Amino acid sequence: MSNFPILSLVTFMPLAGALFVLMIRDSDPEIVASNARYVALWSSGLNFLVSLYLWFNFDNSTADFQYVEKAEWMPVLGLTYHMGVDGISVLFVLLTTLLTPICILASWDSITDRVQEYMISFLVLETLMVGMFCALDLMVFYIFFEGVLIPMFLIIGIWGGPRRVYSSFKLFLYTLTGSVLMLLAMFAMFIESGTTDITQLLVYNFSEKLQTWLWLAFFASFAVKVPMWPLHTWLPDAHVEAPTAGSVILAGVLLKFGGYGMLRFSLPMFPLASADFTPLIYTLSIIAVIYTSLVALVQEDMKKLIAYSSVAHMGFVTIGVFTTTVQGIEGAIYVMLSHGVVSAALFLLVGVVYDRIHSRKIADYGGLVHRLPAYAMIFMLFMLASVGLPGTGSFVGEFLVLLGVFQVNAWVSALAGLGVILGASYMLYLYRRVVFGKLTNDSLRKITDMSPREWAVFTPLIILTLWMGIYPPSFLDVMHVSVDNLINQVELAQSAAHTLAQSMDVNH
Amino acid sequence: MPFENLPDLVPVLPEIFLALVIMSLLMFGVFQRGGRAETDVNTFRVISWMAVVTLIVTPLLVLSLAGSTLIGFGGLFISDPFSVFCKILVLIGSAGSLVMARNFLEEHDMARFEYPVLVVFATLGMLMMISANDLISLYMGLEMQSLSLYVIAAFRRDDTRSTEAGLKYFVLGAVASGMFLYGASLIYGFAGTTNFTILEQVLQRDTQDEYGQSLGIIFGIVFILSALAFKVSAVPFHMWTPDVYEGAPTPVTALFAIAPKIAALALFMRVMVGPFGDLISEWRQIIIFISVGSMLLGALAAINQRNIKRMMAYSSISHVGFALMGLAVGHDSGIRAILVYLTIYLFMNIGTFACILAMRRGGVMVEAIDELAGLGKTHPLMAAAMTVFMFSMAGIPPLAGFFGKLYIFLSVIQAELYLLAVIGVLTSVVGSFYYLRVIRLMYFEDPDEPLDRPVSREISLIATLAGLVTVLFFLYPDFLVLSAATASSALFLN
């Protein structure tokens, strides 16, 4: 099995499913829609099962890339189709393959218009996302990274809310602006080093001046994706207008592109520039954590509130990544994973009531606990998970990040800790207004509790978030060796530059 | 020997073939008994298909010359891998637009046999331009192409917009030709030759001279450059483009956007890196200026357009700006990038114009972009094809347009023109806005009155083929890149 192209299978199986959906033809649109749903669910569900193989057979003891595939693609330039995963990326692949079938299941009844196109978009999106996490060639990475814009633009634009046009354009143009600058930086790296192979670039030493420029160009792209304050404004718009499943994928996977990119490129490839820019990252992240938490407090719209809370959580990620400590980076990855599960669940929870009442206004709700006890319970679990209650995945991640940053800079740690408190206040406030209190809105009197399909959507997420909180080693062990290796590389490069600078001082 | 003074005809074989066929087709058309509508249409159909077949056969002749550099007619004419590559692109472009034109011309009462004849004459002129190795033969090719194009721009002679387009094109084109002739005579006056090969040697010698280049030569180059910028519709000589694109009948616009543009850019490359290659420090800044200007204007001015043909005009201006970035590099890799870009541009544009030609309601062509509203519901396949072309033109991976831009920007970065590259990518973001607007209309809006169905077979065929090329290009990009590399290195042999 060692030569079996398992990563290509996981990457392109959804695409095959999409082609299948494309072929469905029938005179009755209902049959087409239901066939499209089933094909999409089966192909993405099967893909999840296949991707589990990646996890079970993953070798925790090495930092090397595993399941590597390499094939000629553009020999003129020396570009290769190169795929592989290490401890940092493998879990993101799993997160993607898990969330896609959940998204498809969540859109089962809520999407009735152009179902075929919808399912195709989601399956294509899955291919692009998985490919992005597996790519080990700069160009292959970029193609997947930016290709994601096409289905995402269509998902928000076609199936979104009233201001969908504005939001989809904003998402597209913001992201594209950042990415094209990164593309130029990639060209510069290619011309400088003569290769686009990520494994080789990871150990290539760029000059310090070049590193600064490259770092800034990559930052332009990743800061939009993360998103970091002040480039985050596309996110609340996109979340509010996107259909539920679109928000889930956006929060669950797309936001991780930025953090992942920083771990894969910015930190190991430009270690000197990263050290120089760490104060900038800290400042922006702290502002993000505190400012967006305050903004979240005053939101009237549930989705917007959760969107702002995502920006705040991502602030933890960027802080953690640039601490260059084991705890900080592992915490950052852990926050990304648990946020992928928790924020996905929160958007799904909003979707559940939105499907019934067609409103996202917090004021339209209240007293849901009387009619929807099961819903209230699940909501409470994820609300507390978002706050970072011990026993849930977020706690482990945020704790590790704070621990990591405390070793480097206690002030940053203290200010980020303030964000946790604010996080608790806006989430609890949201929960009180939506779930507790009296049933005031008449349309809520006939609202029904969770359907079996909805239970099927939430069960894996509930299990996962508790698992991540109670027994983190199942996940931390996977990434540990890779993270250690990453930090060693960065410290080696930084100390080498340091000694060089010192020896030059001596010479003067 | 009676034939000892006969010039070597082998390098000119494709052009001779094309000329002979088209003249016989012209004769055939002239001697048909005309006057009645249906016989006229029949003649048109026969000649149209014959012309298409000719345009499809000629690339085979062109290919037979591939791989070697042949010079004919005492140095006036050159056939090298570069010309072979560009000629094939031009022939595909002309054939494609002719195939798409048939249905439109018949439905709009323009089914006269002169149309295909003129298109092939123009194509012949383009082939001459590409193969010109002397300022005189270059001018001949240019004029042959332009005169035929002036006529077909005004082909819908009872339509004011079409005649206006023809006249505008003619007057401004004549000015450009005048500038070209003036520049060429300056060059001749100061260098003493019009032949590219000798010119290159003369200029190379002068560059190493202690006095440097004479001012007359520089002036001549600037005039020639302006004339060529007019032909490729680069800023600041672009003003005619939107009006001509809008006024001319749509199949003519499709032709204008593709074949002459490729031919003129090929000419541009040959002249600039050939005879004037040693003077790159003199003309590079001009190219950078017109390239940045074209990209900016193309991106910004297209935003407010309501007519899809006008939008495509601005889009083509910005594409020319991107291609010219490669020329500013002036290096092997830049020329290769342009050739790759042009090939992809050809397929994207043929496809887009096929979709535009399918925009008709009640048998009448509609041109407002808003008419595309809701196309995703009424014509799902056509909307999907158009989406592919629009995303591709915006340069979003994994579609072909991305790879076109990739090679251009790679060569620009390689030449260390960083600022140019940054301006280029940022304008491409601005440009993506209006491509997205088309997609928005097709998918995010509801249809009012659906466009006609079904779409004619030729048009669907061309849109499908171009769409497949655009989508699947990423699977095997190397074939094109390698051919382009062979072609571009031919320009740098000496």
Side-chain angles (χ1 to χ4, degrees):
Chain A
M1 280 294 273
S2 65
N3 287 328
F4 185 73
I6 180 89
L7 284 180
S8 292
L9 180 72
V10 175
T11 307
F12 292 106
M13 194 152 76
L15 195 64
L19 286 178
F20 228 106
V21 176
L22 192 66
M23 306 287 183
I24 297 171
R25 286 275 175 278
D26 197 280
S27 50
D28 183 4
E30 276 305 305
I31 293 177
V32 175
S34 104
N35 283 345
R37 287 186 187 111
Y38 277 106
V39 172
L41 183 63
W42 275 106
S43 52
S44 61
L46 203 62
N47 203 31
F48 173 62
L49 294 181
V50 175
S51 69
L52 283 178
Y53 173 88
L54 293 178
W55 193 24
F56 291 142
N57 279 37
F58 191 82
D59 183 358
N60 288 345
S61 61
T62 168
D64 290 340
F65 287 96
Q66 303 181 29
Y67 312 108
V68 173
E69 295 164 29
K70 204 167 183 179
E72 291 275 290
W73 179 45
M74 282 159 61
V76 181
L77 292 184
L79 306 191
T80 50
Y81 171 78
H82 193 178
M83 304 280 261
V85 284
D86 66 353
I88 297 171
S89 53
V90 68
L91 292 171
F92 290 109
V93 173
L94 281 154
L95 180 70
T96 314
T97 55
L98 170 73
L99 284 181
T100 311
I102 287 179
C103 283
I104 287 167
L105 206 56
S107 335
W108 207 260
D109 295 328
S110 55
I111 301 293
T112 50
D113 182 36
R114 303 193 220 185
V115 179
Q116 212 176 354
E117 287 94 328
Y118 184 85
M119 296 301 165
I120 293 172
S121 302
F122 262 91
L123 292 173
V124 171
L125 190 60
E126 182 177 8
T127 288
L128 294 169
M129 292 186 300
V130 174
M132 204 245 16
F133 287 122
C134 298
L136 285 187
D137 184 281
L138 278 184
M139 277 306 122
V140 179
F141 170 84
Y142 185 80
I143 286 173
F144 284 122
F145 184 84
E146 203 172 304
V148 164
L149 282 181
I150 298 179
M152 208 59 222
F153 175 75
L154 295 176
I155 287 170
I156 296 180
I158 301 179
W159 295 278
R163 286 177 75 231
R164 58 184 192 266
V165 174
Y166 172 79
S167 306
S168 55
F169 271 69
K170 199 167 176 184
L171 162 91
F172 197 98
L173 296 175
Y174 259 71
T175 322
L176 187 63
T177 313
S179 324
V180 288
L181 293 174
M182 178 172 80
L183 183 65
L184 290 184
M186 286 178 165
F187 291 156
M189 286 163 77
F190 171 53
I191 287 160
E192 168 78 17
S193 68
T195 178
T196 53
D197 195 313
I198 291 177
T199 51
Q200 289 175 35
L201 287 169
L202 283 172
V203 291
Y204 188 88
N205 287 322
F206 292 101
S207 72
E208 188 165 2
K209 184 166 169 252
L210 188 61
Q211 276 194 25
T212 309
W213 286 108
L214 295 176
W215 192 93
L216 283 172
F218 275 77
F219 179 71
S221 176
F222 297 144
V224 173
K225 277 274 179 188
V226 165
M228 292 185 75
W229 183 87
L231 302 173
H232 65 283
T233 57
W234 63 271
L235 184 75
D237 286 315
H239 268 313
V240 169
E241 299 306 324
T244 303
S247 299
V248 171
I249 281 290
L250 199 56
V253 187
L254 256 60
L255 295 194
K256 278 64 196 180
F257 280 24
Y260 172 75
M262 285 173 177
L263 279 171
R264 178 65 80 226
F265 299 97
S266 306
L267 200 54
M269 291 184 192
F270 324 126
L272 305 179
S274 296
D276 293 344
F277 285 112
T278 301
L280 173 77
I281 294 276
Y282 284 164
T283 316
L284 294 182
S285 307
I286 290 294
I287 296 176
V289 168
I290 295 175
Y291 166 77
T292 52
S293 299
L294 291 172
V295 174
L297 260 175
V298 297
Q299 292 308 311
E300 302 289 321
D301 183 307
M302 289 198 266
K303 264 187 157 179
K304 219 167 195 166
L305 191 148
I306 303 171
Y308 278 110
S309 85
S310 291
V311 182
H313 284 290
M314 288 300 121
F316 279 96
V317 172
T318 43
I319 291 176
V321 168
F322 283 91
T323 56
T324 334
T325 57
V326 181
Q327 292 85 357
I329 292 182
E330 288 188 0
I333 300 174
Y334 216 82
V335 169
M336 284 198 266
L337 294 171
S338 76
H339 176 262
V341 175
V342 172
S343 69
L346 287 171
F347 279 117
L348 287 167
L349 283 162
V350 176
V352 167
V353 285
Y354 182 79
D355 285 347
R356 290 163 172 69
I357 311 291
H358 297 287
S359 166
R360 290 184 308 260
K361 288 260 167 297
I362 296 172
D364 289 347
Y365 293 94
L368 284 182
V369 70
H370 303 297
R371 293 283 313 164
L372 312 172
Y375 176 82
M377 195 190 74
I378 298 175
F379 198 165
M380 185 172 74
L381 173 75
F382 285 111
M383 181 269 295
L384 292 174
S386 174
V387 170
L389 189 79
T392 62
S394 315
F395 169 74
V396 179
E398 282 171 17
F399 178 75
L400 283 173
V401 169
L402 291 178
L403 194 65
V405 75
F406 193 80
Q407 301 167 26
V408 186
N409 191 328
W411 279 107
V412 176
S413 181
L415 289 168
L418 195 63
V420 180
I421 301 171
L422 286 169
S425 47
Y426 63 74
M427 283 316 284
L428 290 169
Y429 186 43
L430 168 78
Y431 190 73
R432 185 186 71 74
R433 283 184 292 171
V434 172
V435 176
F436 292 143
K438 285 200 182 110
L439 261 181
T440 44
N441 189 338
D442 281 339
S443 57
L444 292 176
R445 294 196 189 285
K446 288 205 190 92
I447 196 167
T448 52
D449 211 347
M450 308 280 283
S451 70
R453 179 181 61 79
E454 283 159 351
W455 273 109
V457 168
F458 284 105
T459 314
L461 297 177
I462 297 171
I463 296 173
L464 201 58
T465 192
L466 292 175
W467 184 0
M468 290 180 80
I470 295 166
Y471 194 69
S474 338
F475 306 94
L476 287 175
D477 285 351
V478 173
M479 60 181 98
H480 192 70
V481 180
S482 296
V483 172
D484 258 353
N485 181 46
L486 172 76
I487 289 169
N488 285 339
Q489 267 179 24
V490 174
E491 279 174 352
L492 201 67
Q494 283 172 351
S495 65
H498 194 62
T499 14
L500 190 69
Q502 270 181 340
S503 67
M504 293 211 348
D505 283 345
V506 171
N507 288 343
H508 275 291
Chain B
M1 285 284 281
F3 295 119
E4 66 186 319
N5 288 331
L6 199 66
D8 184 7
L9 293 180
V10 173
V12 206
L13 213 55
E15 284 79 5
I16 293 180
F17 168 75
L18 209 56
L20 288 179
V21 170
I22 201 57
M23 285 196 239
S24 15
L25 284 182
L26 180 64
M27 288 301 134
F28 174 74
V30 169
F31 287 109
Q32 285 298 303
R33 197 166 302 179
R36 278 190 307 142
E38 61 261 46
T39 49
D40 277 358
V41 170
N42 272 337
T43 317
F44 164 74
R45 267 190 206 166
V46 171
I47 291 186
S48 187
W49 283 119
M50 300 272 284
V52 170
V53 171
T54 317
L55 289 176
I56 293 171
V57 172
T58 317
L60 302 178
L61 282 176
V62 174
L63 269 179
S64 71
L65 297 173
S68 52
T69 303
L70 304 165
I71 293 186
F73 288 106
L76 288 175
F77 191 94
I78 184 169
S79 168
D80 56 4
F82 177 78
S83 71
V84 168
F85 189 93
C86 296
K87 279 179 188 174
I88 290 177
L89 293 190
V90 164
L91 288 164
I92 295 175
S94 294
S97 63
L98 204 52
V99 171
M100 294 192 292
R102 191 193 59 82
N103 204 356
F104 180 94
L105 294 175
E106 282 179 20
E107 284 187 9
H108 289 76
D109 260 352
M110 289 190 285
R112 285 186 295 274
F113 75 90
E114 289 91 340
Y115 183 84
V117 171
L118 281 168
V119 170
V120 180
F121 267 127
T123 312
L124 182 58
M126 294 172 210
L127 301 193
M128 299 273 295
M129 283 157 68
I130 293 171
S131 269
N133 196 35
D134 191 291
L135 289 171
I136 301 291
S137 55
L138 189 161
Y139 183 70
M140 272 176 51
L142 198 65
E143 282 307 288
M144 181 166 188
Q145 175 228 228
S146 306
L147 284 171
S148 317
L149 292 182
Y150 301 147
V151 180
I152 53 173
F155 202 72
R156 200 171 185 183
R157 60 185 171 202
D158 42 9
D159 179 73
T160 21
R161 284 198 308 161
S162 175
T163 42
E164 183 198 322
L167 192 65
K168 226 173 221 173
Y169 194 20
F170 172 70
V171 172
L172 290 171
V175 172
S177 295
M179 287 201 290
F180 179 83
L181 280 178
Y182 187 55
S185 52
L186 275 173
I187 299 274
Y188 178 66
F190 283 86
T193 179
T194 53
N195 184 286
F196 288 172
T197 323
I198 307 173
L199 202 54
E200 188 174 355
Q201 288 159 4
V202 171
L203 295 181
Q204 198 168 14
R205 194 196 56 209
D206 286 0
T207 322
Q208 287 147 6
D209 200 336
E210 57 178 312
Y211 301 111
Q213 224 40 260
S214 64
L215 206 56
I217 295 276
I218 310 287
F219 258 89
I221 292 177
V222 171
F223 272 105
I224 290 183
L225 224 156
S226 320
L228 293 177
F230 174 88
K231 292 291 171 195
V232 298
S233 70
V235 170
F237 303 100
H238 64 282
M239 278 83 89
W240 58 278
T241 321
D243 293 339
V244 173
Y245 272 42
E246 188 189 2
T250 313
V252 178
T253 314
L255 178 70
F256 281 1
I258 304 164
K261 209 139 264 188
I262 294 172
L265 271 167
L267 184 64
F268 217 136
M269 286 186 267
R270 188 186 285 287
V271 175
M272 291 334 269
V273 305
F276 305 140
D278 290 311
L279 298 172
I280 182 162
S281 53
E282 311 282 346
W283 53 260
R284 178 183 258 170
Q285 44 190 327
I286 307 180
I287 296 283
I288 290 180
F289 170 75
I290 59 178
S291 153
V292 168
S294 309
M295 289 188 294
L296 274 176
L297 183 114
L300 294 174
I303 291 174
N304 237 350
Q305 299 307 319
R306 293 277 161 267
N307 181 302
I308 192 150
K309 281 155 76 180
R310 276 190 98 83
M311 189 196 96
M312 289 305 291
Y314 285 108
S315 146
S316 86
I317 291 174
S318 75
H319 281 298
V320 164
F322 283 114
L324 286 178
M325 274 205 286
L327 189 59
V329 172
H331 191 262
D332 202 359
S333 68
I335 303 298
R336 180 184 71 189
I338 300 181
L339 293 178
V340 173
Y341 195 84
L342 286 180
T343 314
I344 291 165
Y345 171 82
L346 163 80
F347 285 104
M348 293 189 305
N349 258 13
I350 287 194
T352 313
F353 274 101
C355 292
I356 294 175
L357 276 165
M359 286 170 62
R360 47 183 70 213
R361 183 172 295 136
V364 180
M365 176 86 202
V366 289
E367 292 176 358
I369 302 179
D370 292 342
E371 304 281 355
L372 286 170
L375 199 72
K377 273 196 176 139
T378 55
H379 296 64
L381 284 178
M382 182 177 147
M386 192 73 169
T387 309
V388 165
F389 299 130
M390 290 295 121
F391 274 129
S392 175
M393 290 212 185
I396 307 298
L399 302 169
F402 167 71
F403 291 91
K405 295 220 166 97
L406 185 153
Y407 285 102
I408 293 274
F409 284 115
L410 191 59
S411 70
V412 174
I413 294 271
Q414 209 161 9
E416 302 186 346
L417 300 168
Y418 299 117
L419 192 62
L420 181 64
V422 171
I423 296 174
V425 289
L426 292 181
T427 50
S428 87
V429 174
V430 178
S432 70
F433 176 79
Y434 60 87
Y435 297 123
L436 288 184
R437 205 180 56 169
V438 175
I439 298 169
R440 183 202 86 193
L441 278 166
M442 292 191 300
Y443 283 101
F444 305 177
E445 313 268 311
D446 285 325
D448 14 301
E449 219 183 316
L451 300 174
D452 286 359
R453 315 186 52 144
V455 175
S456 84
R457 252 178 308 152
E458 296 110 339
I459 286 181
S460 349
L461 179 74
I462 286 189
T464 317
L465 282 180
L468 284 179
V469 171
T470 312
V471 174
L472 299 179
F473 179 79
F474 75 93
L475 287 179
Y476 190 58
D478 251 30
F479 170 70
L480 176 61
V481 180
L482 282 174
S483 338
T486 325
S488 65
S489 58
L491 281 187
F492 291 91
L493 275 183
N494 30 0

